[in-house]
Amino acid sequence: MKKILVFKSDRIGDLINISSVIYNLKKNFPHSEITIVCSKYNSRIANYYPDLQNIIILDKSFFSFSLKYFKKLYLTKYDLLLQLDGKKNSYLCSALINSNIKAGLIFIKYKKILNNLSSIKRPNFLMSKFFDYLEPCVEDYQILNNKDYHYLNLYLNILKKFNLTIYSKNHHLPFNEQNKQSIKDYLHIHIDERWDRFSDTLYNNFINKIDEFLNTNKIFITSNISGNKFYFNIKEKFKSNNNFLFKDDVSIADLLNIVFYSQTVLSSHSGLIVHAAAAFKKDIIDLVPETINHELDRWIPFNINYQRFNTNNFSKLFI
């Protein structure tokens, strides 16, 4: 295969999550040209992958996007098209593109309509006819076989469907550290806006846990752009403690650098942090509400040291 087109126009962590797909495509077809359709947001991480020869940014307007990239999308013949983001505009665009093989996911929801259980599919029946293969993904996080719908496994199943060899399931992120750090092997805690939904009780318990952990350990704490109340409260409390480092308004390059030099990362399942940490082979801790446990089962990277603690009970955190 010479020309491959991949749609992944969502978040940064989602793009790192398909890094093994890109890796395996290039291993199977070393002389191929891979084009990715991504969002403006995750295009910043796409630039780190030399195997992605062309990066196309999907606009919200299907018309302006199609007009801007008309030659690249509709006048180019592709050998393989993979629709991996599940977005309506991506399905529509994929249907119009000329490719020998088109594949992706079909998302299935079950809803009661007039007391009858009916399935709702994305893409719909008509749009599905434009694809050679669609891997089923049931959008119900509470089903008993929930782990059967692990997203990366589903993507790799598509490759297997066309007899491609799976060389690796691991995350990959080609990254040359931007600023070499003398401080290494610290605990990196990324506190984003999700943490502001945590209770005051959790905040107090978390502070106590940090006090237990500190001793001679270094902790590097970052926040989302503009920060949040949880982050600034912790910064105020520990700003004079030499074991703490704080960095506000971090760029993607900053975050990657901080994760790269860490030993362990802790977040409330921040996608960039979790998936970059997996690529760099770091230990990962998720602190999340119990209600999303089943959902997260579909996202956990393979072959890493991963632990999850729920916000209502994290007594063993740091032990």
Side-chain angles (χ1 to χ4, degrees):
M1 292 189 182
K2 293 183 179 180
K3 288 186 175 292
I4 299 172
L5 181 62
V6 180
F7 282 81
K8 199 64 180 140
S9 61
D10 31 29
R11 294 168 295 186
I12 290 177
D14 298 298
L15 197 147
I16 301 175
N17 191 44
I18 69 159
S19 58
S20 63
V21 174
I22 304 301
Y23 175 84
N24 285 296
L25 285 171
K26 205 65 178 179
K27 286 287 286 184
N28 279 273
F29 309 110
H31 302 297
S32 63
E33 176 186 284
I34 302 177
T35 298
I36 190 162
V37 178
C38 53
S39 65
K40 184 177 181 180
Y41 185 52
N42 70 13
S43 66
R44 291 177 288 178
I45 205 74
N47 286 303
Y48 283 95
Y49 291 92
D51 288 337
L52 299 175
Q53 283 80 21
N54 302 299
I55 297 173
I56 296 175
I57 297 176
L58 180 63
D59 294 331
K60 291 183 179 179
S61 167
F62 177 78
F63 177 76
S64 62
F65 169 69
S66 295
L67 191 62
K68 183 176 181 178
Y69 296 107
F70 188 84
K71 182 178 179 181
K72 189 65 181 175
L73 292 173
Y74 306 121
L75 298 183
T76 301
K77 175 67 176 292
Y78 290 95
D79 297 294
L80 173 65
L81 181 153
L82 296 176
Q83 209 292 58
L84 302 181
D85 63 26
K87 295 190 175 181
K88 290 181 180 179
N89 279 352
S90 296
Y91 284 119
L92 179 57
C93 188
S94 297
L96 300 174
I97 289 172
N98 186 4
S99 180
N100 290 330
I101 299 172
K102 297 180 185 181
L105 299 186
I106 181 165
F107 297 91
I108 305 166
K109 283 186 177 180
Y110 292 98
K111 291 189 175 181
K112 272 194 174 182
I113 302 176
L114 299 176
N115 290 325
N116 293 316
L117 194 63
S118 301
S119 64
I120 299 173
K121 298 180 179 180
R122 187 177 80 253
N124 60 29
F125 175 78
L126 179 61
M127 191 65 69
S128 298
K129 295 299 181 182
F130 290 93
F131 290 83
D132 299 282
Y133 177 71
L134 290 168
E135 178 79 9
C137 178
V138 176
E139 290 191 287
D140 179 359
Y141 298 132
Q142 305 308 318
I143 56 178
L144 295 177
N145 60 333
N146 179 63
K147 289 184 179 180
D148 290 349
Y149 298 103
H150 187 284
Y151 291 112
L152 181 52
N153 247 352
L154 298 181
Y155 303 146
L156 295 175
N157 284 347
I158 296 172
L159 302 190
K160 293 176 186 176
K161 178 70 178 180
F162 297 102
N163 299 317
L164 274 65
T165 301
I166 304 303
Y167 292 93
S168 173
K169 285 188 170 186
N170 296 339
H171 281 26
H172 301 269
L173 181 55
F175 174 75
N176 294 317
E177 57 269 38
Q178 306 296 307
N179 301 298
K180 293 187 181 295
Q181 296 179 182
S182 58
I183 300 172
K184 302 179 181 180
D185 299 328
Y186 43 76
L187 169 66
H188 172 213
I189 304 176
H190 184 68
I191 299 176
D192 60 18
E193 64 279 4
R194 297 178 183 91
W195 293 63
D196 275 350
R197 297 194 287 267
F198 296 165
S199 67
D200 290 340
T201 300
L202 184 141
Y203 172 80
N204 292 326
N205 289 338
F206 190 75
I207 292 296
N208 292 334
K209 276 292 174 183
I210 288 178
D211 280 332
E212 289 176 20
F213 176 78
L214 267 176
N215 296 323
T216 58
N217 295 293
K218 292 283 186 181
I219 297 180
F220 204 141
I221 300 186
T222 57
S223 74
N224 57 300
I225 299 296
S226 300
N228 55 81
K229 181 180 177 182
F230 200 110
Y231 169 79
F232 287 121
N233 285 345
I234 289 181
K235 184 177 181 180
E236 181 64 27
K237 182 173 180 61
F238 291 105
K239 63 182 179 182
S240 60
N241 189 314
N242 292 331
N243 283 335
F244 275 85
L245 296 168
F246 290 91
K247 195 168 181 65
D248 309 339
D249 292 338
V250 285
S251 67
I252 290 175
D254 288 335
L255 274 176
L256 292 178
N257 212 67
I258 292 166
V259 172
F260 186 85
Y261 281 106
S262 70
Q263 181 181 67
T264 302
V265 300
L266 189 160
S267 72
S268 187
H269 199 81
S270 174
L272 170 59
I273 303 300
V274 170
H275 294 292
F280 298 150
K281 302 293 184 283
K282 307 299 179 179
D283 296 340
I284 299 171
I285 300 173
D286 265 345
L287 180 61
V288 297
E290 188 175 6
T291 53
I292 68 170
N293 276 342
H294 291 294
E295 179 181 353
L296 292 191
D297 286 342
R298 301 184 178 208
W299 287 104
I300 304 310
F302 296 117
N303 302 321
I304 56 163
N305 182 14
Y306 172 85
Q307 298 180 76
R308 183 186 304 158
F309 296 91
N310 293 137
T311 52
N312 60 336
N313 181 16
F314 56 100
S315 60
K316 295 183 178 179
L317 188 64
F318 302 142
I319 294 177

